[in-house]
Amino acid sequence: MPKTSPEIGGMGHSVKRKEDPRFIRGKGNYVDDITLPDMLYLDIVRSPFAHATIKNIDTAKALATPGVLAVITGKDLAAYNLHWMPTLMSDTQMVLPVEKVMYQAQEVAAVLATDRYTAADGVDAVEVDYDPLPVVVDPFKALAPDAPVLRTDKEGKKDNHIWHWEWGDKSATDQAFDEAEVKVSQDIYIPRIHVSSIETCGCIASFDKINGKLTVWMTTQAPHAIRTVFALVAGHVGLQEHKIQIISPDIGGGFGGKVPVYPGYVIAVAASVLTGKPVKWIEDRMENLQADSFARDYHIAAELAGKKDGTLTALRIKTVADHGYTDAAANPSKFPAGLFHICTGSYDLKAAHVEVDGVYTNKPPGGIAYRCSFRVTEAVHAIERMTDLMAHEIGMDPADLRMKNFIPSDKFPYKSALGWEYDSGDYAGALKLAMDRIGYAELRKEQLEKRARGELMGIGISSFTEIVGAGPSKHFDILGLKMFDSAEIRVHPTCKVIARFGTKSQGQGHETTYAQIVAEELGIPASDIAVEEGDTDTAPYGLGTYASRSTPVAGAACAIAARKIRDKARKIAAYLLEAHEDDLEWEPGKFFVKGSPDRAKTIQDIALAAYTNHPQGMEAGLEAVSYYDPPNLTYPFGSYICVVDIDKGTGEVKVRRFMAVDDCGNIINPMIVEGQIHGGLTMGLAPALYEEIQYDESGNCLQGSFMNYLLPTAVETPAWETDKTCTPSPHHPLGAKGVGESATVGAPAAIVNAVVDALWHLGVRHIDIPITPAKVWKALRDAGVSE
Amino acid sequence: MIPRSFEYYAPRTLSEAVSLLEKLGPDAKILSGGQSLIPMMKLRLASPPFIVDINHIPDLGYISETDGSLRIGALVRESDLESSPLVRSRYPLLADTTKVIADPLVRNQATVCGNLAHGDPANDHPATMLALEAVIVAISPRGEREISIKDFFTGLFSTDLQPDEILKEIRVPTPPPRSGGTYLKMERKVGDYATAGVAVQITLDEADACLRAGVGLTNVGFTPLKAAKVEDFLKGKLIDAAAIKQASEIAAGESQPMDDIRGSADYKRDLVRVLTARALNRAIERAKGGA
Amino acid sequence: MAKIEINVKINGAEHRAEVEPRMLLVHFLRESLRLTGTHIGCDTSHCGACTVLVDGRAVKSCTMFAAQVEGREILTVEGLEQDGKLHPLQEGFFQEHGLQCGYCTPGMLMTGVAFLAQNTSPTEDEIRHAISGNLCRCTGYVNIVKAYQHAAAQLREGGV
C-alpha cells in the first residue's frame, strides 16, 4: 500500500512518466539531433582484415575530395601520444593503429569533412595497403603454445592469455565431487551478442579555443567517469577536468553498450581540439555491430554434484573468456570475470569453485556488461542449465529439485560458498507463485499426453538470483573510481525541487522514479520535482547507470539526501511552531505537534521559511547532498517458467507462454518496473533463439548488420506474463533492490530448459543458444524424428 | 549508409522512361519501389550513375481482371495487393505471398513488378508467379514484348529483361474453378528472406484428380525454381497422402540449396520437402472449396 | 552533381528545397528541415525508426530519396499534435507506458497513425504484424500493443 496519496505520487504509485511529453512529440534531444554552428563531421575508415600490418595509408584522393578537410591517422595521434588509451579494465586499446589492425572493422583512419555525405565520400577515397597476418578467432587455439602472439605491443608478452582468476574452495569442491553420488557435466557456449540499442553511439566534441573548454555531447551511461578518464588520458595535451564538460542528453537505449570510451569519441575530441570547431561522429549500425564492443562470449565447462535424492552438493566451473583483442570489459577492477561467482545461484550449495581464463583473439574488444550486472547472465545460464540437467538425469521434476535446494527464506543474510552475502530472498515463494500462475501441474499432464502422440512440448524453469547495485567501496571500483553514487536535492522557496544525480537514464524513467523517491520522503508532489542527470558541470559525481545500480545506489542517496532535508525541515518546523523538535510528528507533506494536529506546518510553509524566516544561527536554504556507499549489493530474484511447442518438420520453437515472477523488493513505480521486465525478457528471448555474432576462420564477422543480426519483432516476441513477490532489502534505505536487468539474466535459461525438456526423451541433453530451427531440426533428425 | 552521387530523372510517361533508358545506356537503373535498390546503393554495392524514377508516371497502379488474366501494373505496391479484395478472394496464393514479403513498411513502397525484375532467387513473388504461369509484359523503344515466366529468370540477379526494357505489367491467368494455392515461407524472423519457400497452385478436375499443378521454390537455387518434375508427377493423379509424400520428396530433390547463414543445404532441402507437403494439403483444401 | 528542386508539403506546410539526388529523405527531414523527431537506427532498412507517412502510407524514410517526394504530402511525428491536442496514439503511448528511451517511438507512432486509419478494431495479432517493421529494444512490445489498443478505442469513440 503506498504511503502517499496519488497526488503526491510517492513510492508504489504508477505515476505516468514525466519524460514522455517530449518523446511522444518527437522532441527528444539525442546526440544526432544536435547541430552546432560550423560543425564538422567525422567518418571512419575501417579495416576489412581481422589481423594485418598497415603498410601504407594513401590519403591523396580523399584530401582532394571537395569538403574533406583532413584525414587523421594513428601517426597523427601518436604525435600527441593519443594513439593508444587505457580500457576500463586497465588494459590498453588503440584509438587509431600505427602498426597493425587486430579486428575486422577496426578504425584505421578518420576523415573530417564539412558534411556527412562528403565525409562518407572521403572514407571511400582513402586507400590502405594491408599485409594480412595469421588470424586467431578460436580462444582455445589462441591458448595453444604455437599460436601467433596477438599483442605484440606488450613488451615481453609471449602468449594470448590475459589473466587467470579463480574463486572458491578448490579442495573442498574436489572432495565433494569425489564423494558425489551423482554428477552431471556440460559444456555450454554463450555466444557473442551485441546490445544493439536502436540509437547507435556517437558524440559531438566541441573545443572552445578561447576558454580552453571542451564540451562533449556523448551517448554515455557514465558521464563523470568519462570526464575523469579524458582528463587523465589527455591531460598532457592541455585538457583539465574543470574545463571538460560531458553532456549525456537523451540516450536511445544503453544496456551497457554506452559505457566504454570508443575510439570515435577520442578522435572527435582530438579533431575538435586541433580545429577549434565542433566535430560530430555518429556510428552507423554496421559499425556499431561490427566494431564498438560485444557481450558474453563465454566457453563454460560446468559440473554439478549431488545426491540421488536430489540434494545438490557442489559446483565446479572452468570458463574460457574470449575478450577480443583487448580486455575492454566494464567490470569492477578486482573482478575480471565480473560477478560470475554468483553462479551458485539460488541454491544452498556447500562447496563451489570457479576458474576463468581471459584470452585475446582477433575480434572487437569488450565484455560489455550487457543488461546482466557483470557476467550474471552467464552465471545464471550455467547454474540453471546444470540444475535442470541434474533433475532430468535423476528423473526428478525440475521444480521439485529447485524447491529442495533453495536457500530457505529464513536463512538470510546468507553467505554463499563463493563469498557473497545475499541480503534477502524467498525463492520458494517466487517459484510457487510462478507455478500457480502458469498452471504447472496441468502443463506437465498435457506434456505427457502430447508426448504419447509424438508432439513436442517442453516446460523450462529458471529460478535466478541477481546481484546488482555495485557497489561497496571496500571491493568495488572502476579504474580506481569507487562505485558510490550521488544525489543533490535543492528545494526552492515555492517548494519546487531540483534534484540531480550521478546516474544517467537511457529509458529507465529516472525523471519520474527519483522524483517519486523525493515525493515519498518529503511529501512534495512528484510533479513539483525536476530531475536532472547527465551534465557533468552540474550533476554530482557518480559512476553512471548500468548493472541495475541506479535504484540501489543513487536511489539510496536520494532517500538519504531527502531525509537530511527532512531533518532540517523538522528544525524549521519546530521554530515556526514554537515547539520542540521531538514533539513533532511527520506525515507526508507536513509536521504537526503530537496531539495537536491543527498545529502544523506543511513542507511548502517550511520551504518558504527556509528563505524568509529561518531561525537565527541556521543557514538559509533547504538542500542536501548525499554520496552513498552501499554497504552491500542487493539481490533481486525471480522464477520464470517457459512453455514451448516445437515444430517437428521445421524445427521452429514457439514460446507458447512465459510467466515471469520477479522480486525486486519495494517498488518505486510498478508500471515502470513491469516495462523493464517486458523489455528484459525480450532481451533474454533474443539471444536464446535469434541473436549471435560469429566469425569465420579469417575473422570475418558474419552478422554485421540487421540482415543477419536478428532482433525480434513484435511477432516473434510472446505476450509476456508477469507477477511479483516483495522481499525488501534489509540494508537499502527504501528496501528496494533494482530490477532493470533481472529479466535478461533469468530468461535465456528458462527457454533453453524448455527446449531440452521437450527433446529429452529423444536423447537431447543440451543445445547452445541461439536455439535456431536449424539446430533443433538437426537434433531431431539425429534422433530419427521427422515430419 | 550514404550512396554515391548519381544523376536523377523523373519521367512522366512510360515512353519517356523508355527513351531515357535508351539514351543513358545499360548503366541506368529504374527506381520503382527502391526497397532492394536503395539499400544496395546505401552500402555502395550498387552505384548506378543514372537513376530513372518511374514513380511519377500516372496510371501504373492498376490491379484488374480482364480477358482471363489478373493484370498488375508496374507501380502496384505489395500492400495494394495485400489489401485488394479481388486478390484476396480470387488469387489467394498471391495474397499469401505478398503478406510475407519483408515487413509492412517495406510493402508500402516495394512493387510487385520490382520483386520480379530484380531477379533475386530470395524474393518471394518469383516462385508464386512460376506456380501461376504468369506472363511478363516488357516495354522498350521496340514496343511491348511478352515473356513467359518460365523463361524470365536467367541467372543470379539476372532476368530476360534487356537494359532498355521496363517491366510494365504482370499477367496472371485467372485460375479455373476448383483451383487453390498457397505460399509457405520459412523465415528466421519477420522481414527476413526465406530460408526456403514453396508456392503451390493446384487445379482439380471433377473427380478430384489433379488437372494441373504449379510449384515454385524460393531461395533454394541460383534462380527461383520451377519444380517441373513435381508438376509432372502430380498431373492426372488423385493427390492422396502417398502422392503428397512422394511429391514432396521430388520437390526436395529438385531444389539446389547451398549452405549459408540461414542453414545447411540438407536443412533447406528437408524444409522444401516439409513445406511442399503442407502446401499441397492446403492447396487441395482450398481447391475443394475450403478457405 | 547538380541539385534538383523539390516541392513538398510537410505537416501541412509547403516547402521548396534544392537537394542532391542522393540525399535520403530521412536526412532531408532531419538536417535540411531540422525535423529531428524522425530517427535513424540502422543502415539496412530493418529498424523502422525512420517511419513517416508519404501520401498517407507509412514508409521507411531512410529507403527513399528526397527527390522522390516531389509533389507529395508528408506527415512526421511533429505533425501529430494539432492545436495542442495530442493524437490518440500519442495519448495511448503516454497512458500505457508504451515507450522507455523514446527512440523507436516516432516510428511506432507513424506506423500506428496509418494502420489505425484503416483498422480501428485490430486484434492483438494484427497489431503485432502491423508493427513488425518497427524494432524496439526497451519495451518488449507489450505496452506498445496496449498503446495501439488504447488509441483504437479512442478512435472508435470518435476522437479525431
Side-chain angles (χ1 to χ4, degrees):
Chain A
M1 264 325 303
K3 283 196 241 148
T4 58
S5 66
E7 290 70 41
I8 303 289
M11 284 190 59
H13 288 291
S14 288
V15 173
K16 300 282 184 271
R17 293 195 339 159
K18 291 146 124 283
E19 37 270 270
D20 285 0
R22 64 185 184 275
F23 294 135
I24 60 177
R25 290 171 170 84
K27 294 292 186 193
N29 192 38
Y30 303 93
V31 171
D32 200 14
D33 297 344
I34 299 169
T35 305
L36 298 173
D38 291 337
M39 191 168 76
L40 304 174
Y41 287 80
L42 197 76
D43 199 354
I44 297 184
V45 179
R46 292 181 181 275
S47 168
F49 295 104
H51 196 200
T53 318
I54 300 169
K55 278 176 40 202
N56 187 44
I57 302 178
D58 188 343
T59 59
K61 277 209 202 114
L63 288 169
T65 308
V68 170
L69 303 172
V71 182
I72 304 167
T73 66
K75 290 210 177 98
D76 298 321
L77 293 183
Y80 301 92
N81 202 29
L82 283 175
H83 54 315
W84 282 83
M85 63 174 178
T87 70
L88 292 175
M89 279 310 285
S90 298
D91 197 339
T92 49
Q93 63 182 338
M94 287 177 264
V95 177
L96 283 173
V98 174
E99 241 188 70
K100 65 172 186 173
V101 292
M102 285 209 259
Y103 65 98
Q104 188 184 53
Q106 181 176 350
E107 298 81 1
V108 174
V111 172
L112 192 64
T114 49
D115 66 272
R116 199 187 294 263
Y117 280 49
T118 306
D121 291 341
V123 165
D124 222 11
V126 173
E127 293 168 332
V128 187
D129 269 327
Y130 300 95
D131 243 341
L133 293 167
V135 172
V136 183
V137 289
D138 180 329
F140 296 96
K141 290 198 181 134
L143 287 174
D146 57 340
V149 176
L150 298 182
R151 295 300 300 268
T152 47
D153 58 287
K154 287 176 183 281
E155 206 174 297
K157 186 122 186 85
K158 293 191 168 49
D159 59 32
N160 296 312
H161 187 238
I162 316 177
W163 39 258
H164 173 84
W165 174 86
E166 60 182 278
W167 208 270
D169 187 336
K170 189 166 195 332
S171 59
T173 305
D174 287 345
Q175 187 180 351
F177 270 87
D178 292 338
E179 294 168 358
E181 290 171 9
V182 195
K183 284 184 279 210
V184 286
S185 66
Q186 182 62 56
D187 286 345
I188 302 171
Y189 176 50
I190 301 180
R192 219 165 236 251
I193 51 177
H194 194 283
V195 314
S196 208
S197 5
I198 305 299
E199 180 203 32
T200 60
C201 301
C203 72
I204 304 171
S206 182
F207 183 69
D208 175 341
K209 276 191 164 157
I210 295 170
N211 293 307
K213 182 169 184 183
L214 173 71
T215 304
V216 189
W217 288 261
M218 184 189 284
T219 51
T220 177
Q221 299 172 232
H224 292 91
I226 300 291
R227 185 188 72 192
T228 304
V229 167
F230 276 6
L232 294 173
V233 164
H236 65 284
V237 297
L239 292 182
Q240 303 168 81
E241 197 164 5
H242 66 302
K243 297 239 177 143
I244 301 172
Q245 179 186 17
I246 308 293
I247 300 176
S248 190
D250 287 325
I251 306 290
F255 311 114
K258 288 169 176 163
V259 170
V261 179
Y262 293 125
Y265 300 150
V266 179
I267 304 168
V269 167
S272 184
V273 169
L274 285 170
T275 58
K277 295 208 156 90
V279 175
K280 178 183 268 195
W281 169 68
I282 306 288
E283 46 166 29
D284 63 35
R285 178 60 62 187
M286 290 173 70
E287 295 179 290
N288 173 264
L289 287 173
Q290 292 177 37
D292 66 18
S293 63
F294 76 92
R296 315 284 189 261
D297 218 343
Y298 260 27
H299 299 260
I300 296 171
E303 303 169 88
L304 187 59
K307 300 189 185 152
K308 283 188 225 154
D309 70 354
T311 309
L312 302 175
T313 54
L315 175 72
R316 194 159 57 190
I317 302 185
K318 274 178 74 76
T319 298
V320 168
D322 184 337
H323 273 270
Y325 93 96
T326 188
D327 187 353
N331 288 323
S333 66
K334 287 197 178 73
F335 303 109
L339 308 181
F340 185 67
H341 46 313
I342 192 62
C343 54
T344 54
S346 310
Y347 310 108
D348 192 8
L349 279 163
K350 295 293 187 271
H353 184 257
V354 294
E355 293 177 56
V356 183
D357 286 279
V359 185
Y360 288 131
T361 58
N362 287 121
K363 294 175 189 167
I368 288 291
Y370 173 10
R371 207 165 186 172
C372 64
S373 189
F374 303 100
R375 297 292 186 183
V376 183
T377 308
E378 291 88 324
V380 165
H381 199 95
I383 185 62
E384 288 305 299
R385 279 295 301 126
M386 298 314 290
T387 310
D388 236 54
L389 262 168
M390 177 65 84
H392 281 85
E393 193 63 42
I394 66 177
M396 189 172 184
D397 184 289
D400 291 340
L401 186 110
R402 286 175 166 83
M403 287 291 196
K404 191 179 174 67
N405 288 283
F406 279 150
I407 301 160
S409 55
D410 60 359
K411 283 279 196 295
F412 292 84
Y414 170 84
K415 195 86 187 273
S416 80
L418 291 174
W420 293 114
E421 188 182 275
Y422 296 18
D423 59 1
S424 65
D426 179 9
Y427 303 140
L431 180 55
K432 180 167 188 317
L433 178 58
M435 290 169 74
D436 289 344
R437 286 288 315 270
I438 206 165
Y440 188 78
E442 292 70 44
L443 285 169
R444 283 291 178 206
K445 266 210 297 211
E446 183 195 344
Q447 183 182 38
L448 288 173
E449 289 162 15
K450 283 206 148 90
R451 192 167 286 179
R453 294 199 296 271
E455 290 170 40
L456 301 171
M457 169 192 165
I459 306 161
I461 302 174
S462 172
S463 293
F464 64 94
T465 292
E466 249 271 65
I467 171 173
V468 304
S473 58
K474 191 157 177 214
H475 298 294
F476 288 83
D477 69 89
I478 292 189
L479 282 181
L481 296 166
K482 296 295 185 185
M483 297 184 75
F484 54 85
D485 227 286
S486 57
E488 179 188 282
I489 307 175
R490 174 171 301 139
V491 183
H492 301 321
T494 54
C495 205
K496 309 294 187 225
V497 179
I498 178 82
R500 300 187 170 107
F501 299 85
T503 51
K504 176 62 207 172
S505 176
Q506 323 104 39
Q508 295 92 329
H510 292 173
E511 288 169 45
T512 309
T513 54
Y514 286 148
Q516 289 185 254
I517 297 175
V518 178
E520 176 79 8
E521 297 292 334
L522 295 178
I524 299 173
S527 52
D528 288 351
I529 301 166
V531 169
E532 283 179 7
E533 288 173 307
D535 182 339
T536 59
D537 267 5
T538 51
Y541 204 101
L543 269 281
T545 294
Y546 44 85
S548 300
R549 62 186 301 274
S550 299
T551 294
V553 193
C558 184
I560 303 286
R563 289 172 196 178
K564 289 185 194 176
I565 289 174
R566 199 165 77 219
D567 287 346
K568 180 167 183 178
R570 177 184 285 268
K571 292 181 163 56
I572 296 173
Y575 168 73
L576 295 173
L577 291 167
E578 294 175 342
H580 197 277
E581 274 183 63
D582 297 343
D583 292 332
L584 295 182
E585 283 203 42
W586 165 261
E587 69 180 39
K590 70 152 93 92
F591 282 104
F592 59 94
V593 177
K594 284 181 196 168
S596 309
D598 49 306
R599 281 182 64 203
K601 286 294 169 188
T602 64
I603 189 72
Q604 285 76 17
D605 299 330
I606 294 164
L608 187 61
Y611 296 87
T612 61
N613 186 17
H614 59 281
Q616 292 294 301
M618 175 193 277
E619 285 184 25
L622 192 58
E623 63 189 67
V625 175
S626 169
Y627 285 77
Y628 186 74
D629 185 354
N632 191 5
L633 298 145
T634 60
Y635 298 77
F637 60 94
S639 266
Y640 295 166
I641 304 185
C642 175
V643 183
V644 300
D645 298 294
I646 299 183
D647 183 320
K648 261 193 303 195
T650 63
E652 273 176 296
V653 172
K654 185 106 178 75
V655 174
R656 191 207 303 177
R657 287 187 69 189
F658 195 109
M659 182 69 223
V661 171
D662 279 275
D663 190 319
C664 58
N666 290 335
I667 287 178
I668 304 167
N669 184 320
M671 174 188 84
I672 287 182
V673 166
E674 192 190 54
Q676 289 292 303
I677 305 284
H678 294 158
L681 290 172
T682 309
M683 278 183 154
L685 174 87
L689 298 180
Y690 302 100
E691 290 177 22
E692 68 177 324
I693 297 191
Q694 298 167 300
Y695 296 83
D696 68 15
E697 293 273 297
S698 307
N700 294 311
C701 173
L702 302 181
Q703 284 90 1
S705 78
F706 281 169
M707 180 71 73
N708 289 310
Y709 192 69
L710 305 173
L711 269 58
T713 70
V715 172
E716 287 77 44
T717 307
W720 305 113
E721 299 169 67
T722 62
D723 206 330
K724 54 181 178 276
T725 56
C726 179
T727 312
S729 169
H731 67 76
H732 188 277
L734 301 168
K737 289 189 175 182
V739 75
E741 301 173 314
S742 289
T744 308
V745 164
I751 297 169
V752 181
N753 284 344
V755 173
V756 173
D757 182 64
L759 304 174
W760 187 270
H761 64 294
L762 302 171
V764 174
R765 293 291 168 265
H766 180 70
I767 302 180
D768 277 334
I769 56 173
I771 301 186
T772 60
K775 279 184 186 170
V776 174
W777 175 87
K778 177 118 197 345
L780 288 170
R781 295 297 175 270
D782 287 348
V785 173
S786 73
E787 178 170 292
Chain B
M1 171 84 197
I2 312 291
R4 291 202 182 93
S5 294
F6 55 84
E7 275 176 37
Y8 172 86
Y9 300 88
R12 299 294 161 148
T13 66
L14 259 182
S15 60
E16 201 188 325
V18 151
S19 315
L20 274 169
L21 285 184
E22 189 181 28
K23 183 180 101 173
L24 297 169
D27 288 333
K29 282 292 279 178
I30 295 287
L31 173 65
S32 58
Q35 303 298 285
S36 295
L37 178 62
I38 297 179
M40 285 174 70
M41 291 175 69
K42 284 164 68 178
L43 296 178
R44 300 195 175 194
L45 295 173
S47 296
F50 311 110
I51 292 288
V52 178
D53 179 359
I54 61 169
N55 286 282
H56 292 285
I57 301 175
D59 304 324
L60 290 181
Y62 55 87
I63 304 172
S64 58
E65 212 178 35
T66 45
D67 294 335
S69 286
L70 178 73
R71 286 147 204 274
I72 302 170
L75 288 179
V76 170
R77 313 285 169 181
E78 297 290 351
S79 53
D80 295 334
L81 213 62
E82 201 177 343
S83 59
S84 157
L86 171 61
V87 171
R88 279 184 180 161
S89 56
R90 294 168 62 69
Y91 302 84
L93 169 51
L94 278 183
D96 281 355
T97 309
T98 191
K99 271 209 297 268
V100 294
I101 291 175
D103 63 57
L105 301 171
V106 171
R107 293 200 288 277
N108 276 335
Q109 263 301 92
T111 62
V112 184
C113 289
N115 197 267
L116 296 184
H118 198 51
D120 189 349
N123 279 347
D124 298 288
H125 274 307
T128 297
M129 296 302 176
L130 283 167
L132 289 165
E133 286 181 7
V135 171
I136 305 293
V137 179
I139 187 164
S140 74
R142 300 173 291 291
E144 281 194 13
R145 176 166 82 99
E146 287 187 15
I147 312 166
S148 171
I149 191 78
K150 62 175 169 44
D151 302 323
F152 187 68
F153 302 106
T154 54
L156 183 65
F157 291 111
S158 56
T159 68
D160 197 49
L161 286 176
Q162 300 305 302
D164 61 355
E165 277 184 316
I166 298 177
L167 201 166
K168 175 188 180 235
E169 179 180 283
I170 301 168
R171 289 183 195 154
V172 176
T174 305
R178 307 212 90 223
S179 293
T182 192
Y183 182 63
L184 293 181
K185 174 181 181 178
M186 176 70 184
E187 53 185 358
R188 296 177 298 172
K189 62 169 257 197
V190 166
D192 196 17
Y193 289 106
T195 306
V198 178
V200 168
Q201 178 73 10
I202 299 277
T203 303
L204 301 175
D205 68 16
E206 289 306 315
D208 277 355
C210 174
L211 252 182
R212 188 205 149 261
V215 181
L217 306 179
T218 300
N219 215 13
V220 284
F222 286 118
T223 66
L225 296 177
K226 183 173 166 66
K229 293 194 181 121
V230 179
E231 295 171 350
D232 291 341
F233 169 78
L234 289 170
K235 200 169 168 133
K237 286 199 175 57
L238 198 63
I239 311 180
D240 57 10
I244 290 177
K245 183 173 187 298
Q246 211 172 334
S248 65
E249 281 158 9
I250 296 171
E254 285 197 86
S255 66
Q256 302 152 17
M258 314 260 305
D259 290 341
D260 71 13
I261 200 133
R262 290 190 178 78
S264 67
D266 285 344
Y267 175 54
K268 294 178 188 181
R269 207 170 290 118
D270 204 46
L271 275 180
V272 169
R273 180 185 66 80
V274 170
L275 294 178
T276 302
R278 293 182 186 179
L280 280 169
N281 273 306
R282 190 93 179 77
I284 292 165
E285 211 182 315
R286 279 176 163 169
K288 289 181 178 169
Chain C
M1 285 277 170
K3 291 200 173 174
I4 57 168
E5 186 187 282
I6 55 169
N7 296 277
V8 56
K9 199 169 194 180
I10 300 180
N11 298 333
E14 296 285 353
H15 290 268
R16 172 182 299 168
E18 296 215 325
V19 295
E20 273 190 76
R22 66 172 171 163
M23 174 164 253
L24 300 174
L25 178 58
V26 68
H27 285 137
F28 175 64
L29 294 170
R30 288 179 53 79
E31 314 220 333
S32 309
L33 300 179
R34 306 292 310 134
L35 292 169
T36 55
T38 304
H39 297 146
I40 296 173
C42 78
D43 37 27
T44 49
S45 309
H46 284 95
C47 77
C50 64
T51 308
V52 299
L53 301 196
V54 176
D55 287 350
R57 282 184 198 256
V59 296
K60 293 177 175 173
S61 64
C62 74
T63 317
M64 281 183 83
F65 297 116
Q68 289 176 259
V69 299
E70 159 66 33
R72 309 258 182 234
E73 280 197 45
I74 298 181
L75 186 65
T76 72
V77 64
E78 289 93 342
L80 290 185
E81 188 178 14
Q82 294 291 325
D83 300 320
K85 196 164 178 290
L86 291 174
H87 187 284
L89 267 166
Q90 290 173 300
E91 193 60 49
F93 273 75
F94 178 62
Q95 294 297 333
E96 299 293 341
H97 188 37
L99 64 146
Q100 294 181 24
C101 81
Y103 200 76
C104 77
T105 307
M108 291 287 183
L109 285 167
M110 299 319 295
T111 294
V113 170
F115 172 67
L116 293 178
Q118 301 293 324
N119 184 351
T120 51
S121 294
T123 63
E124 174 165 350
D125 199 54
E126 285 171 339
I127 294 173
R128 285 176 177 273
H129 276 91
I131 61 174
S132 60
N134 295 86
L135 296 176
C136 174
R137 268 316 228 182
C138 295
T139 68
Y141 303 106
V142 175
N143 289 348
I144 292 177
V145 170
K146 288 193 184 149
Y148 271 48
Q149 289 166 334
H150 192 281
Q154 205 178 322
L155 286 166
R156 286 196 298 272
E157 281 166 36
V160 170

